[in-house]
Amino acid sequence: MPSALSPRRFLAPFCRLLAVAGAAAASLMAAPNDPGAPVYDLLIVNGTVVDGTGRAGVREDVAVRGGVVAAVGRLAGAAAKTTIDATGRVVAPGFIDVHTHADDPARTPLLENFARMGVTAVVAGNCGDSAESIGAELHAVARDGIAVNFATLVGHNTVRAAVLGSARRAPDASELERMKALVARAMEEGAIGLSTGLQYVPGMYAERGEIVELAKVAARAGGLYATHMRNEGTRVAEAVAEALVVGEAAGCPVQISHLKIDSPNRWGTSATLLEAIAAARRRGMDVRADQYAYTAGSAGLGIRFPGWALEGGHDAVAARLNDPGVWKRIKEEMKGLLAERGFTDLSWAVIALDRDDPSLDGLTMKQAAAKLVGADDVESQLETARRLMLGSEPQMVYHFMSEDDVKRIMRDPDVMVASDSGVLSPGEGTPHPRGYGNTARVLGRYVRDLGVIPLEEAVRKMTSLPARHFGFARRGEVRAGWAADLVVFDPAGVSDRATFENPHQYATGFDHVLVNGVFVVRDGKPTGARPGQALSRGVVPKP
């Protein structure tokens, strides 16, 4: 992309803290009156700084000037235009959410559900889906402004669809070259790597060699490979192995997206996956993973159908679903897939957003079948699935994971925290609550209430770990000279209020969120400011 259109780029871990008895909400104070002291834009005083490295929190002050952290320590006598008393609060780096679907940020530039849970940077373009023009997307970010920092991957599904549509075949030599050229252009325009969504059309039709060739293109431009793997349940070990082979063959870092075990008859095998990933690191591979802090996932209804039945677009899919013989074959395969995973029906699947019939939002497939078909047995549930796919494919929430696996994965030091959410609009559908509460749930439920990991470790997983793996220079730590992406929160009060039944509730306990030194949340309320910038791998931030 021509330099005149280029966005500004720069890149960059409760503990068992004793809650301060009787601490009031952080409040603004007048700046000290010391004419000899350096004047800062902002002073955050009396807070416990959890700096993102994993070190224990320390009672320190933080000074901000010109969009960067100017000083950290006991800054008695320092003067500032604004001073925040953070007594009883934690001061941490802003959280970096490396797996989001916050695409098209120009349409929803405030990203309020992210900012209000302490997120100061998002990575979009995940699961193989990205903007068709990375350059245009990043230019819009620079032109119109955005509340939080933004980076994007280039999606393999997007690239493949541009060349092959939804064809279920391998590309020929010329088609592969066209796909490689699209990835190369996206990397030149500012993408930070390649993502795949190998459980979705058309990515599921790609063979490994195709993915390796495209990942090599991203790698030559300094990018990484992020993957929603082919399988996250019955064949998840093979899927992890494939991700590692792609990374090794392409010579690039690997990010395994939303690591989970989504089949009851495979629950408990997360330990094996984590060891396979750790073994690859011991061999010298740069590989990490991320997870969200819930036992349910979210995807379209189509993911429950056999892949061959989804080829060719909506009309072709509808023709198959309306053919009694073909539908019988599809239905029997769906039953087989359910049994293979340890399920007897679809009662664990909830309709999150059906644009054709919003009255279905929030209903399980069993409940929807009773409403639409008049019965709720497995045959009626599958018939309901068929009817829904003939319209606009609904977004679903799937309750299919084990709390023990979630905890085990969370304890692994090389697994980040990421929401897998898009930008949410209050009142629209019944989306997964992770988009409103993921970081708060980690800090509240898993740190404070259950003691699964210490606060400092949770913060590291949301800050310096993602910053380093994704190459965001001088971000992810509270350190002098680094970007002033900061969050001030109450460790005793932070909470995810969003539930599966009532998801449209913002997280609580986040008093202040700053992006590049500017408040995007102040006293718990969004400011409407848009100080976010486009991030690229390895570029040092500038004021």
Side-chain angles (χ1 to χ4, degrees):
M1 184 173 63
S3 59
L5 297 181
S6 297
R8 291 181 63 190
R9 301 176 181 172
F10 48 97
L11 301 172
F14 181 174
C15 66
R16 296 177 167 82
L17 291 172
L18 297 175
V20 178
S27 60
L28 299 179
M29 309 186 307
N33 185 16
D34 181 353
V39 177
Y40 300 109
D41 297 331
L42 172 68
L43 270 176
I44 305 173
V45 300
N46 301 324
T48 298
V49 174
V50 177
D51 67 5
T53 65
R55 292 191 292 264
V58 179
R59 182 77 171 269
E60 290 181 317
D61 307 325
V62 178
V64 173
R65 183 167 51 207
V68 300
V69 175
V72 182
R74 300 304 291 169
L75 305 176
K81 299 172 185 176
T82 301
T83 300
I84 292 175
D85 183 0
T87 299
R89 299 314 198 245
V90 167
V91 183
F95 306 143
I96 301 171
D97 192 333
V98 298
H99 190 100
T100 81
H101 295 278
D103 300 282
D104 193 13
R107 185 175 61 86
T108 52
L110 298 184
L111 287 83
E112 192 169 336
N113 57 300
F114 290 101
R116 291 182 67 162
M117 61 176 170
V119 172
T120 58
V122 297
V123 177
N126 280 285
C127 294
D129 289 321
S130 68
E132 293 183 5
S133 171
I134 300 300
E137 182 175 48
L138 295 181
H139 175 57
V141 168
R143 181 193 64 217
D144 300 332
I146 187 173
V148 304
N149 299 310
F150 179 85
T152 185
L153 301 150
V154 55
H156 167 246
N157 286 356
T158 302
V159 168
R160 196 177 213 272
V163 176
L164 291 174
S166 60
R168 187 163 61 100
R169 64 174 177 83
D172 62 27
S174 64
E175 290 167 335
L176 182 59
E177 288 304 312
R178 288 169 58 195
M179 293 167 67
K180 290 165 67 174
L182 289 174
V183 173
R185 185 177 72 184
M187 295 301 298
E188 291 172 1
E189 291 176 343
I192 63 170
L194 173 74
S195 79
T196 53
L198 301 178
Q199 282 190 297
Y200 302 121
V201 174
M204 64 170 59
Y205 304 141
E207 297 177 358
R208 185 180 303 171
E210 172 186 325
I211 301 166
V212 169
E213 289 304 306
L214 299 180
K216 285 180 179 178
V217 175
R220 285 195 290 270
L224 52 69
Y225 171 61
T227 179
H228 175 146
M229 301 179 294
R230 291 188 194 274
N231 188 289
E232 297 178 315
T234 55
R235 296 177 178 81
V236 66
E238 294 94 323
V240 168
E242 180 182 48
L244 298 176
V245 168
V246 170
E248 189 168 26
C252 62
V254 173
Q255 181 72 13
I256 295 177
S257 299
H258 40 60
L259 186 63
K260 66 171 77 72
I261 306 294
D262 69 9
S263 298
N265 58 9
R266 296 294 191 277
W267 285 353
T269 60
S270 54
T272 302
L273 303 183
L274 293 169
E275 172 52 30
I277 295 168
R281 285 197 302 275
R282 291 193 294 271
R283 296 195 304 269
M285 282 196 67
D286 185 4
V287 53
R288 302 292 187 275
D290 57 71
Q291 72 167 155
Y292 45 82
Y294 297 82
T295 56
S298 183
L301 180 60
I303 203 170
R304 305 274 70 89
F305 286 70
W308 63 265
L310 303 175
E311 181 185 7
H314 184 272
D315 290 347
V317 173
R320 297 185 189 103
L321 295 177
N322 284 323
D323 182 307
V326 178
W327 167 237
K328 181 178 179 180
R329 176 187 169 193
I330 292 171
K331 186 167 57 173
E332 291 307 309
E333 287 197 29
M334 291 176 74
K335 290 179 182 177
L337 292 170
L338 287 171
E340 183 182 13
R341 300 176 67 179
F343 294 112
T344 58
D345 65 6
L346 284 166
S347 58
W348 46 279
V350 179
I351 299 170
L353 180 63
D354 188 291
R355 298 191 184 279
D356 299 324
D357 185 357
S359 72
L360 299 176
D361 294 349
L363 299 185
T364 67
M365 287 296 290
K366 187 171 185 175
Q367 293 168 330
K371 179 175 181 177
L372 297 180
V373 182
D376 63 6
D377 56 279
V378 65
E379 290 287 334
S380 299
Q381 292 174 40
L382 292 173
E383 170 59 21
T384 299
R386 185 188 77 88
R387 294 186 187 184
L388 293 176
M389 285 297 291
L390 287 172
S392 300
E393 178 188 358
Q395 187 72 10
M396 308 292 293
V397 169
Y398 296 118
H399 295 268
F400 51 17
M401 294 153 60
S402 157
E403 176 80 340
D404 288 342
D405 283 319
V406 170
K407 291 176 181 177
R408 183 180 296 112
I409 293 169
M410 190 175 292
R411 291 187 184 103
D412 189 280
D414 290 292
V415 176
M416 305 163 201
V417 174
S419 69
D420 194 12
S421 176
V423 181
L424 301 179
S425 299
E428 183 175 323
T430 310
H432 198 300
R434 63 195 181 191
Y436 286 102
N438 191 54
T439 62
R441 185 172 176 83
V442 172
L443 297 171
R445 173 176 172 79
Y446 290 99
V447 170
R448 180 186 62 228
D449 300 341
L450 300 180
V452 174
I453 53 175
L455 176 66
E456 292 92 345
E457 176 66 355
V459 170
R460 184 187 70 86
K461 285 170 165 284
M462 296 189 282
T463 57
S464 69
L465 180 61
R468 290 174 182 174
H469 192 57
F470 279 72
F472 299 152
R474 295 189 184 178
R475 295 185 188 272
E477 296 181 28
V478 181
R479 184 189 295 195
W482 288 39
D485 296 340
L486 301 168
V487 57
V488 180
F489 66 89
D490 176 7
V494 66
S495 177
D496 61 313
R497 299 175 61 233
T499 65
F500 288 102
E501 297 74 23
N502 186 13
H504 293 290
Q505 301 185 79
Y506 293 109
T508 59
F510 295 99
D511 300 325
H512 309 291
V513 181
L514 293 99
V515 175
N516 300 311
V518 177
F519 286 100
V520 296
V521 173
R522 188 166 182 172
D523 294 320
K525 299 183 183 302
T527 66
R530 302 183 186 183
Q533 300 189 22
L535 304 184
S536 297
R537 286 177 61 82
V539 178
V540 176
K542 300 177 182 178

